mmCIF file of all heavy atoms in Angstrom:
data_model
loop_
_atom_site.group_PDB
_atom_site.id
_atom_site.type_symbol
_atom_site.label_atom_id
_atom_site.label_comp_id
_atom_site.label_asym_id
_atom_site.label_seq_id
_atom_site.Cartn_x
_atom_site.Cartn_y
_atom_site.Cartn_z
ATOM 1 N N ARG A 193 2.071 0.835 -4.845
ATOM 2 C CA ARG A 193 3.040 1.486 -3.963
ATOM 3 C C ARG A 193 4.167 2.123 -4.773
ATOM 4 O O ARG A 193 5.329 2.127 -4.380
ATOM 5 C CB ARG A 193 3.568 0.460 -2.967
ATOM 6 C CG ARG A 193 2.458 -0.043 -2.058
ATOM 7 C CD ARG A 193 2.862 -1.215 -1.175
ATOM 8 N NE ARG A 193 3.964 -0.881 -0.270
ATOM 9 C CZ ARG A 193 4.506 -1.751 0.591
ATOM 10 N NH1 ARG A 193 4.025 -2.987 0.641
ATOM 11 N NH2 ARG A 193 5.503 -1.399 1.371
ATOM 12 N N CYS A 194 3.790 2.646 -5.941
ATOM 13 C CA CYS A 194 4.743 3.274 -6.838
ATOM 14 C C CYS A 194 5.534 4.351 -6.103
ATOM 15 O O CYS A 194 5.005 5.188 -5.424
ATOM 16 C CB CYS A 194 3.977 3.876 -8.031
ATOM 17 S SG CYS A 194 5.087 4.669 -9.250
ATOM 18 N N GLY A 195 6.858 4.312 -6.295
ATOM 19 C CA GLY A 195 7.737 5.301 -5.683
ATOM 20 C C GLY A 195 8.210 4.959 -4.295
ATOM 21 O O GLY A 195 8.951 5.707 -3.693
ATOM 22 N N GLU A 196 7.757 3.786 -3.779
ATOM 23 C CA GLU A 196 8.235 3.352 -2.461
ATOM 24 C C GLU A 196 8.748 1.932 -2.536
ATOM 25 O O GLU A 196 8.433 1.156 -3.462
ATOM 26 C CB GLU A 196 7.105 3.482 -1.441
ATOM 27 C CG GLU A 196 6.351 2.217 -1.148
ATOM 28 C CD GLU A 196 5.329 2.393 -0.026
ATOM 29 O OE1 GLU A 196 4.315 3.040 -0.256
ATOM 30 O OE2 GLU A 196 5.569 1.833 1.053
ATOM 31 N N VAL A 197 9.563 1.557 -1.567
ATOM 32 C CA VAL A 197 10.170 0.240 -1.570
ATOM 33 C C VAL A 197 9.111 -0.817 -1.187
ATOM 34 O O VAL A 197 8.418 -0.665 -0.197
ATOM 35 C CB VAL A 197 11.335 0.177 -0.589
ATOM 36 C CG1 VAL A 197 11.890 -1.257 -0.513
ATOM 37 C CG2 VAL A 197 12.435 1.135 -0.991
ATOM 38 N N VAL A 198 9.039 -1.851 -2.011
ATOM 39 C CA VAL A 198 8.215 -3.017 -1.698
ATOM 40 C C VAL A 198 9.195 -4.145 -1.294
ATOM 41 O O VAL A 198 10.023 -4.531 -2.109
ATOM 42 C CB VAL A 198 7.367 -3.472 -2.897
ATOM 43 C CG1 VAL A 198 6.607 -4.734 -2.584
ATOM 44 C CG2 VAL A 198 6.399 -2.360 -3.287
ATOM 45 N N THR A 199 9.146 -4.597 -0.068
ATOM 46 C CA THR A 199 10.115 -5.589 0.385
ATOM 47 C C THR A 199 9.781 -6.954 -0.212
ATOM 48 O O THR A 199 8.673 -7.234 -0.640
ATOM 49 C CB THR A 199 10.130 -5.694 1.902
ATOM 50 O OG1 THR A 199 8.905 -6.294 2.348
ATOM 51 C CG2 THR A 199 10.295 -4.336 2.562
ATOM 52 N N ARG A 200 10.795 -7.793 -0.209
ATOM 53 C CA ARG A 200 10.568 -9.180 -0.686
ATOM 54 C C ARG A 200 9.524 -9.883 0.182
ATOM 55 O O ARG A 200 8.703 -10.639 -0.330
ATOM 56 C CB ARG A 200 11.915 -9.935 -0.660
ATOM 57 C CG ARG A 200 12.948 -9.399 -1.602
ATOM 58 C CD ARG A 200 14.281 -10.169 -1.517
ATOM 59 N NE ARG A 200 15.272 -9.672 -2.444
ATOM 60 C CZ ARG A 200 16.087 -8.663 -2.185
ATOM 61 N NH1 ARG A 200 16.000 -8.045 -1.000
ATOM 62 N NH2 ARG A 200 16.957 -8.239 -3.066
ATOM 63 N N ASP A 201 9.579 -9.608 1.481
ATOM 64 C CA ASP A 201 8.584 -10.230 2.366
ATOM 65 C C ASP A 201 7.156 -9.790 2.034
ATOM 66 O O ASP A 201 6.216 -10.559 2.147
ATOM 67 C CB ASP A 201 8.908 -9.892 3.835
ATOM 68 C CG ASP A 201 10.098 -10.648 4.376
ATOM 69 O OD1 ASP A 201 10.500 -11.660 3.727
ATOM 70 O OD2 ASP A 201 10.662 -10.259 5.410
ATOM 71 N N ASP A 202 7.032 -8.535 1.632
ATOM 72 C CA ASP A 202 5.689 -8.026 1.240
ATOM 73 C C ASP A 202 5.137 -8.844 0.079
ATOM 74 O O ASP A 202 3.977 -9.247 0.065
ATOM 75 C CB ASP A 202 5.769 -6.568 0.825
ATOM 76 C CG ASP A 202 5.965 -5.613 2.018
ATOM 77 O OD1 ASP A 202 5.681 -6.039 3.158
ATOM 78 O OD2 ASP A 202 6.431 -4.506 1.785
ATOM 79 N N VAL A 203 5.994 -9.053 -0.949
ATOM 80 C CA VAL A 203 5.538 -9.789 -2.139
ATOM 81 C C VAL A 203 5.225 -11.237 -1.791
ATOM 82 O O VAL A 203 4.190 -11.784 -2.157
ATOM 83 C CB VAL A 203 6.605 -9.743 -3.234
ATOM 84 C CG1 VAL A 203 6.110 -10.493 -4.501
ATOM 85 C CG2 VAL A 203 6.943 -8.298 -3.612
ATOM 86 N N LEU A 204 6.151 -11.868 -1.068
ATOM 87 C CA LEU A 204 5.950 -13.287 -0.724
ATOM 88 C C LEU A 204 4.714 -13.478 0.144
ATOM 89 O O LEU A 204 3.975 -14.456 -0.005
ATOM 90 C CB LEU A 204 7.186 -13.839 -0.020
ATOM 91 C CG LEU A 204 8.485 -13.835 -0.880
ATOM 92 C CD1 LEU A 204 9.670 -14.344 -0.041
ATOM 93 C CD2 LEU A 204 8.310 -14.698 -2.105
ATOM 94 N N ALA A 205 4.449 -12.534 1.062
ATOM 95 C CA ALA A 205 3.261 -12.631 1.918
ATOM 96 C C ALA A 205 2.003 -12.525 1.047
ATOM 97 O O ALA A 205 1.028 -13.254 1.272
ATOM 98 C CB ALA A 205 3.293 -11.535 2.968
ATOM 99 N N ALA A 206 1.982 -11.603 0.107
ATOM 100 C CA ALA A 206 0.809 -11.460 -0.776
ATOM 101 C C ALA A 206 0.613 -12.707 -1.606
ATOM 102 O O ALA A 206 -0.522 -13.149 -1.807
ATOM 103 C CB ALA A 206 1.001 -10.230 -1.677
ATOM 104 N N TRP A 207 1.687 -13.290 -2.082
ATOM 105 C CA TRP A 207 1.581 -14.514 -2.889
ATOM 106 C C TRP A 207 1.037 -15.664 -2.026
ATOM 107 O O TRP A 207 0.182 -16.436 -2.500
ATOM 108 C CB TRP A 207 2.924 -14.902 -3.431
ATOM 109 C CG TRP A 207 3.355 -14.127 -4.645
ATOM 110 C CD1 TRP A 207 2.573 -13.231 -5.339
ATOM 111 C CD2 TRP A 207 4.586 -14.176 -5.311
ATOM 112 N NE1 TRP A 207 3.294 -12.713 -6.383
ATOM 113 C CE2 TRP A 207 4.531 -13.276 -6.416
ATOM 114 C CE3 TRP A 207 5.786 -14.898 -5.110
ATOM 115 C CZ2 TRP A 207 5.592 -13.080 -7.295
ATOM 116 C CZ3 TRP A 207 6.827 -14.683 -5.974
ATOM 117 C CH2 TRP A 207 6.739 -13.821 -7.049
ATOM 118 N N ARG A 208 1.516 -15.797 -0.793
ATOM 119 C CA ARG A 208 1.068 -16.882 0.065
ATOM 120 C C ARG A 208 -0.430 -16.748 0.394
ATOM 121 O O ARG A 208 -1.089 -17.746 0.666
ATOM 122 C CB ARG A 208 1.886 -16.946 1.346
ATOM 123 C CG ARG A 208 3.338 -17.346 1.139
ATOM 124 C CD ARG A 208 4.077 -17.559 2.452
ATOM 125 N NE ARG A 208 5.475 -17.884 2.228
ATOM 126 C CZ ARG A 208 6.484 -17.014 2.350
ATOM 127 N NH1 ARG A 208 6.209 -15.773 2.717
ATOM 128 N NH2 ARG A 208 7.736 -17.360 2.073
ATOM 129 N N ALA A 209 -0.912 -15.523 0.369
ATOM 130 C CA ALA A 209 -2.337 -15.293 0.713
ATOM 131 C C ALA A 209 -3.263 -15.566 -0.463
ATOM 132 O O ALA A 209 -4.479 -15.565 -0.313
ATOM 133 C CB ALA A 209 -2.522 -13.859 1.178
ATOM 134 N N SER A 210 -2.693 -15.815 -1.658
ATOM 135 C CA SER A 210 -3.506 -16.021 -2.843
ATOM 136 C C SER A 210 -3.485 -17.479 -3.230
ATOM 137 O O SER A 210 -2.571 -18.212 -2.883
ATOM 138 C CB SER A 210 -3.045 -15.145 -4.006
ATOM 139 O OG SER A 210 -1.758 -15.556 -4.430
ATOM 140 N N PRO A 211 -4.475 -17.956 -4.021
ATOM 141 C CA PRO A 211 -4.514 -19.350 -4.429
ATOM 142 C C PRO A 211 -3.438 -19.668 -5.488
ATOM 143 O O PRO A 211 -2.850 -18.716 -6.051
ATOM 144 C CB PRO A 211 -5.899 -19.496 -5.047
ATOM 145 C CG PRO A 211 -6.275 -18.114 -5.463
ATOM 146 C CD PRO A 211 -5.641 -17.209 -4.475
ATOM 147 N N PRO A 212 -3.148 -20.949 -5.734
ATOM 148 C CA PRO A 212 -2.191 -21.319 -6.783
ATOM 149 C C PRO A 212 -2.639 -20.780 -8.140
ATOM 150 O O PRO A 212 -3.810 -20.489 -8.348
ATOM 151 C CB PRO A 212 -2.183 -22.852 -6.752
ATOM 152 C CG PRO A 212 -2.750 -23.212 -5.421
ATOM 153 C CD PRO A 212 -3.702 -22.121 -5.057
ATOM 154 N N GLU A 213 -1.693 -20.656 -9.058
ATOM 155 C CA GLU A 213 -2.023 -20.215 -10.407
ATOM 156 C C GLU A 213 -2.891 -21.254 -11.086
ATOM 157 O O GLU A 213 -2.810 -22.458 -10.739
ATOM 158 C CB GLU A 213 -0.745 -19.959 -11.201
ATOM 159 C CG GLU A 213 0.029 -18.763 -10.725
ATOM 160 C CD GLU A 213 1.204 -18.409 -11.627
ATOM 161 O OE1 GLU A 213 2.004 -19.290 -11.913
ATOM 162 O OE2 GLU A 213 1.266 -17.244 -12.000
ATOM 163 N N PRO A 214 -3.705 -20.859 -12.056
ATOM 164 C CA PRO A 214 -4.552 -21.836 -12.765
ATOM 165 C C PRO A 214 -3.754 -22.999 -13.328
ATOM 166 O O PRO A 214 -2.670 -22.810 -13.879
ATOM 167 C CB PRO A 214 -5.165 -20.991 -13.890
ATOM 168 C CG PRO A 214 -5.151 -19.585 -13.367
ATOM 169 C CD PRO A 214 -3.917 -19.485 -12.534
ATOM 170 N N GLY A 215 -4.261 -24.209 -13.153
ATOM 171 C CA GLY A 215 -3.592 -25.381 -13.652
ATOM 172 C C GLY A 215 -2.636 -26.010 -12.666
ATOM 173 O O GLY A 215 -2.107 -27.094 -12.915
ATOM 174 N N GLN A 216 -2.406 -25.347 -11.515
ATOM 175 C CA GLN A 216 -1.498 -25.887 -10.507
ATOM 176 C C GLN A 216 -2.314 -26.376 -9.313
ATOM 177 O O GLN A 216 -3.246 -25.677 -8.858
ATOM 178 C CB GLN A 216 -0.500 -24.815 -10.038
ATOM 179 C CG GLN A 216 0.462 -24.376 -11.110
ATOM 180 C CD GLN A 216 1.397 -23.305 -10.577
ATOM 181 O OE1 GLN A 216 1.120 -22.606 -9.619
ATOM 182 N NE2 GLN A 216 2.559 -23.171 -11.231
ATOM 183 N N THR A 217 -2.009 -27.545 -8.809
ATOM 184 C CA THR A 217 -2.691 -28.072 -7.651
ATOM 185 C C THR A 217 -2.131 -27.456 -6.360
ATOM 186 O O THR A 217 -2.784 -27.438 -5.336
ATOM 187 C CB THR A 217 -2.543 -29.601 -7.565
ATOM 188 O OG1 THR A 217 -1.147 -29.951 -7.569
ATOM 189 C CG2 THR A 217 -3.205 -30.245 -8.804
ATOM 190 N N ALA A 218 -0.898 -26.969 -6.431
ATOM 191 C CA ALA A 218 -0.288 -26.314 -5.280
ATOM 192 C C ALA A 218 0.656 -25.238 -5.787
ATOM 193 O O ALA A 218 1.186 -25.317 -6.883
ATOM 194 C CB ALA A 218 0.470 -27.326 -4.407
ATOM 195 N N ALA A 219 0.862 -24.210 -4.971
ATOM 196 C CA ALA A 219 1.761 -23.148 -5.384
ATOM 197 C C ALA A 219 3.198 -23.655 -5.369
ATOM 198 O O ALA A 219 3.578 -24.469 -4.519
ATOM 199 C CB ALA A 219 1.607 -21.981 -4.432
ATOM 200 N N PRO A 220 4.027 -23.196 -6.336
ATOM 201 C CA PRO A 220 5.439 -23.546 -6.323
ATOM 202 C C PRO A 220 6.133 -22.925 -5.104
ATOM 203 O O PRO A 220 5.551 -22.038 -4.464
ATOM 204 C CB PRO A 220 5.963 -22.943 -7.612
ATOM 205 C CG PRO A 220 5.042 -21.808 -7.913
ATOM 206 C CD PRO A 220 3.715 -22.274 -7.404
ATOM 207 N N PRO A 221 7.326 -23.380 -4.762
ATOM 208 C CA PRO A 221 8.010 -22.807 -3.607
ATOM 209 C C PRO A 221 8.141 -21.276 -3.761
ATOM 210 O O PRO A 221 8.525 -20.777 -4.808
ATOM 211 C CB PRO A 221 9.415 -23.458 -3.667
ATOM 212 C CG PRO A 221 9.174 -24.754 -4.383
ATOM 213 C CD PRO A 221 8.083 -24.462 -5.385
ATOM 214 N N LEU A 222 7.768 -20.564 -2.711
ATOM 215 C CA LEU A 222 7.814 -19.100 -2.719
ATOM 216 C C LEU A 222 9.017 -18.657 -1.932
ATOM 217 O O LEU A 222 9.059 -18.747 -0.713
ATOM 218 C CB LEU A 222 6.514 -18.533 -2.139
ATOM 219 C CG LEU A 222 5.229 -18.904 -2.880
ATOM 220 C CD1 LEU A 222 4.015 -18.354 -2.138
ATOM 221 C CD2 LEU A 222 5.263 -18.406 -4.300
ATOM 222 N N ASN A 223 10.030 -18.161 -2.629
ATOM 223 C CA ASN A 223 11.240 -17.709 -2.003
ATOM 224 C C ASN A 223 11.844 -16.590 -2.841
ATOM 225 O O ASN A 223 11.332 -16.220 -3.891
ATOM 226 C CB ASN A 223 12.234 -18.876 -1.822
ATOM 227 C CG ASN A 223 12.475 -19.615 -3.129
ATOM 228 O OD1 ASN A 223 12.655 -18.993 -4.173
ATOM 229 N ND2 ASN A 223 12.478 -20.943 -3.052
ATOM 230 N N SER A 224 12.965 -16.038 -2.356
ATOM 231 C CA SER A 224 13.578 -14.904 -3.052
ATOM 232 C C SER A 224 14.059 -15.282 -4.447
ATOM 233 O O SER A 224 14.035 -14.444 -5.358
ATOM 234 C CB SER A 224 14.750 -14.375 -2.222
ATOM 235 O OG SER A 224 14.283 -13.765 -1.037
ATOM 236 N N ASN A 225 14.484 -16.515 -4.637
ATOM 237 C CA ASN A 225 14.929 -16.946 -5.947
ATOM 238 C C ASN A 225 13.798 -16.916 -6.964
ATOM 239 O O ASN A 225 13.938 -16.478 -8.096
ATOM 240 C CB ASN A 225 15.580 -18.333 -5.890
ATOM 241 C CG ASN A 225 16.901 -18.324 -5.155
ATOM 242 O OD1 ASN A 225 17.593 -17.318 -5.086
ATOM 243 N ND2 ASN A 225 17.282 -19.475 -4.601
ATOM 244 N N ALA A 226 12.645 -17.463 -6.540
ATOM 245 C CA ALA A 226 11.474 -17.464 -7.400
ATOM 246 C C ALA A 226 11.048 -16.035 -7.694
ATOM 247 O O ALA A 226 10.668 -15.685 -8.829
ATOM 248 C CB ALA A 226 10.328 -18.245 -6.753
ATOM 249 N N LEU A 227 11.120 -15.155 -6.690
ATOM 250 C CA LEU A 227 10.744 -13.774 -6.882
ATOM 251 C C LEU A 227 11.619 -13.087 -7.918
ATOM 252 O O LEU A 227 11.132 -12.333 -8.766
ATOM 253 C CB LEU A 227 10.806 -13.041 -5.554
ATOM 254 C CG LEU A 227 10.539 -11.514 -5.558
ATOM 255 C CD1 LEU A 227 9.190 -11.244 -6.203
ATOM 256 C CD2 LEU A 227 10.571 -10.984 -4.146
ATOM 257 N N GLU A 228 12.933 -13.364 -7.871
ATOM 258 C CA GLU A 228 13.839 -12.771 -8.854
ATOM 259 C C GLU A 228 13.427 -13.141 -10.276
ATOM 260 O O GLU A 228 13.527 -12.324 -11.203
ATOM 261 C CB GLU A 228 15.295 -13.221 -8.582
ATOM 262 C CG GLU A 228 15.915 -12.613 -7.358
ATOM 263 C CD GLU A 228 16.248 -11.140 -7.530
ATOM 264 O OE1 GLU A 228 16.227 -10.659 -8.687
ATOM 265 O OE2 GLU A 228 16.482 -10.457 -6.523
ATOM 266 N N VAL A 229 12.989 -14.371 -10.450
ATOM 267 C CA VAL A 229 12.552 -14.827 -11.778
ATOM 268 C C VAL A 229 11.355 -14.012 -12.257
ATOM 269 O O VAL A 229 11.285 -13.543 -13.405
ATOM 270 C CB VAL A 229 12.194 -16.329 -11.765
ATOM 271 C CG1 VAL A 229 11.565 -16.765 -13.091
ATOM 272 C CG2 VAL A 229 13.468 -17.165 -11.508
ATOM 273 N N TYR A 230 10.369 -13.819 -11.366
ATOM 274 C CA TYR A 230 9.190 -13.084 -11.732
ATOM 275 C C TYR A 230 9.503 -11.603 -12.017
ATOM 276 O O TYR A 230 8.925 -10.993 -12.920
ATOM 277 C CB TYR A 230 8.119 -13.192 -10.635
ATOM 278 C CG TYR A 230 7.376 -14.491 -10.674
ATOM 279 C CD1 TYR A 230 7.641 -15.517 -9.779
ATOM 280 C CD2 TYR A 230 6.361 -14.701 -11.583
ATOM 281 C CE1 TYR A 230 6.975 -16.738 -9.808
ATOM 282 C CE2 TYR A 230 5.645 -15.919 -11.640
ATOM 283 C CZ TYR A 230 5.961 -16.906 -10.731
ATOM 284 O OH TYR A 230 5.278 -18.103 -10.784
ATOM 285 N N VAL A 231 10.396 -11.038 -11.209
ATOM 286 C CA VAL A 231 10.806 -9.653 -11.459
ATOM 287 C C VAL A 231 11.480 -9.511 -12.823
ATOM 288 O O VAL A 231 11.201 -8.568 -13.581
ATOM 289 C CB VAL A 231 11.744 -9.154 -10.335
ATOM 290 C CG1 VAL A 231 12.375 -7.782 -10.695
ATOM 291 C CG2 VAL A 231 11.001 -9.028 -9.008
ATOM 292 N N HIS A 232 12.327 -10.472 -13.158
ATOM 293 C CA HIS A 232 13.003 -10.444 -14.466
ATOM 294 C C HIS A 232 11.983 -10.526 -15.574
ATOM 295 O O HIS A 232 12.078 -9.774 -16.589
ATOM 296 C CB HIS A 232 13.988 -11.623 -14.546
ATOM 297 C CG HIS A 232 14.676 -11.754 -15.889
ATOM 298 N ND1 HIS A 232 15.613 -10.839 -16.308
ATOM 299 C CD2 HIS A 232 14.502 -12.667 -16.894
ATOM 300 C CE1 HIS A 232 16.014 -11.200 -17.536
ATOM 301 N NE2 HIS A 232 15.348 -12.283 -17.892
ATOM 302 N N ARG A 233 11.024 -11.404 -15.455
ATOM 303 C CA ARG A 233 9.972 -11.540 -16.498
ATOM 304 C C ARG A 233 9.204 -10.246 -16.663
ATOM 305 O O ARG A 233 8.909 -9.789 -17.766
ATOM 306 C CB ARG A 233 9.002 -12.688 -16.128
ATOM 307 C CG ARG A 233 9.576 -14.077 -16.237
ATOM 308 C CD ARG A 233 8.473 -15.050 -15.797
ATOM 309 N NE ARG A 233 8.975 -16.427 -15.745
ATOM 310 C CZ ARG A 233 8.230 -17.426 -15.275
ATOM 311 N NH1 ARG A 233 7.005 -17.196 -14.819
ATOM 312 N NH2 ARG A 233 8.740 -18.643 -15.213
ATOM 313 N N LEU A 234 8.838 -9.640 -15.513
ATOM 314 C CA LEU A 234 8.039 -8.435 -15.544
ATOM 315 C C LEU A 234 8.814 -7.276 -16.161
ATOM 316 O O LEU A 234 8.276 -6.457 -16.925
ATOM 317 C CB LEU A 234 7.601 -8.082 -14.112
ATOM 318 C CG LEU A 234 6.354 -7.189 -13.967
ATOM 319 C CD1 LEU A 234 5.182 -7.748 -14.767
ATOM 320 C CD2 LEU A 234 5.991 -7.057 -12.488
ATOM 321 N N ARG A 235 10.109 -7.193 -15.850
ATOM 322 C CA ARG A 235 10.940 -6.133 -16.471
ATOM 323 C C ARG A 235 10.944 -6.254 -17.987
ATOM 324 O O ARG A 235 10.843 -5.242 -18.672
ATOM 325 C CB ARG A 235 12.384 -6.257 -15.921
ATOM 326 C CG ARG A 235 12.594 -5.660 -14.556
ATOM 327 C CD ARG A 235 14.067 -5.518 -14.267
ATOM 328 N NE ARG A 235 14.329 -4.912 -12.954
ATOM 329 C CZ ARG A 235 14.900 -5.514 -11.952
ATOM 330 N NH1 ARG A 235 15.299 -6.775 -12.068
ATOM 331 N NH2 ARG A 235 15.076 -4.868 -10.817
ATOM 332 N N LYS A 236 11.034 -7.501 -18.486
ATOM 333 C CA LYS A 236 11.070 -7.687 -19.937
ATOM 334 C C LYS A 236 9.738 -7.228 -20.554
ATOM 335 O O LYS A 236 9.710 -6.661 -21.637
ATOM 336 C CB LYS A 236 11.315 -9.150 -20.278
ATOM 337 C CG LYS A 236 12.711 -9.619 -19.941
ATOM 338 C CD LYS A 236 12.963 -11.049 -20.388
ATOM 339 C CE LYS A 236 12.951 -11.160 -21.870
ATOM 340 N NZ LYS A 236 13.295 -12.549 -22.324
ATOM 341 N N LYS A 237 8.627 -7.477 -19.859
ATOM 342 C CA LYS A 237 7.330 -7.122 -20.398
ATOM 343 C C LYS A 237 7.083 -5.603 -20.329
ATOM 344 O O LYS A 237 6.234 -5.091 -21.074
ATOM 345 C CB LYS A 237 6.218 -7.872 -19.667
ATOM 346 C CG LYS A 237 6.276 -9.371 -19.935
ATOM 347 C CD LYS A 237 5.240 -10.191 -19.209
ATOM 348 C CE LYS A 237 5.407 -11.682 -19.530
ATOM 349 N NZ LYS A 237 4.381 -12.545 -18.939
ATOM 350 N N LEU A 238 7.794 -4.904 -19.469
ATOM 351 C CA LEU A 238 7.685 -3.454 -19.365
ATOM 352 C C LEU A 238 8.820 -2.747 -20.122
ATOM 353 O O LEU A 238 8.942 -1.527 -20.046
ATOM 354 C CB LEU A 238 7.713 -3.008 -17.903
ATOM 355 C CG LEU A 238 6.585 -3.496 -16.992
ATOM 356 C CD1 LEU A 238 6.827 -3.034 -15.560
ATOM 357 C CD2 LEU A 238 5.232 -3.015 -17.503
ATOM 358 N N ASP A 239 9.598 -3.523 -20.867
ATOM 359 C CA ASP A 239 10.809 -3.018 -21.486
ATOM 360 C C ASP A 239 10.562 -1.854 -22.425
ATOM 361 O O ASP A 239 11.395 -0.952 -22.555
ATOM 362 C CB ASP A 239 11.515 -4.148 -22.220
ATOM 363 C CG ASP A 239 12.949 -3.788 -22.627
ATOM 364 O OD1 ASP A 239 13.633 -3.176 -21.790
ATOM 365 O OD2 ASP A 239 13.325 -4.055 -23.786
ATOM 366 N N LEU A 240 9.426 -1.839 -23.123
ATOM 367 C CA LEU A 240 9.160 -0.802 -24.114
ATOM 368 C C LEU A 240 8.472 0.418 -23.501
ATOM 369 O O LEU A 240 8.021 1.309 -24.244
ATOM 370 C CB LEU A 240 8.268 -1.370 -25.229
ATOM 371 C CG LEU A 240 8.908 -2.510 -26.033
ATOM 372 C CD1 LEU A 240 7.929 -2.992 -27.110
ATOM 373 C CD2 LEU A 240 10.209 -2.048 -26.668
ATOM 374 N N SER A 241 8.397 0.484 -22.157
ATOM 375 C CA SER A 241 7.770 1.626 -21.488
ATOM 376 C C SER A 241 8.845 2.436 -20.768
ATOM 377 O O SER A 241 10.021 2.097 -20.785
ATOM 378 C CB SER A 241 6.735 1.131 -20.487
ATOM 379 O OG SER A 241 7.377 0.603 -19.333
#
Side-chain angles (χ1 to χ4, degrees):
R193 296 170 62 181
C194 181
E196 97 176 72
V197 176
V198 176
T199 69
R200 295 178 180 86
D201 286 344
D202 288 339
V203 181
L204 297 177
W207 280 354
R208 292 188 183 103
S210 66
E213 291 187 308
Q216 294 179 337
T217 56
L222 299 176
N223 52 45
S224 292
N225 290 335
L227 176 55
E228 288 289 345
V229 172
Y230 281 102
V231 170
H232 176 70
R233 290 179 186 173
L234 202 52
R235 281 194 177 115
K236 290 184 66 176
K237 294 179 181 183
L238 297 177
D239 192 43
L240 298 179
S241 75

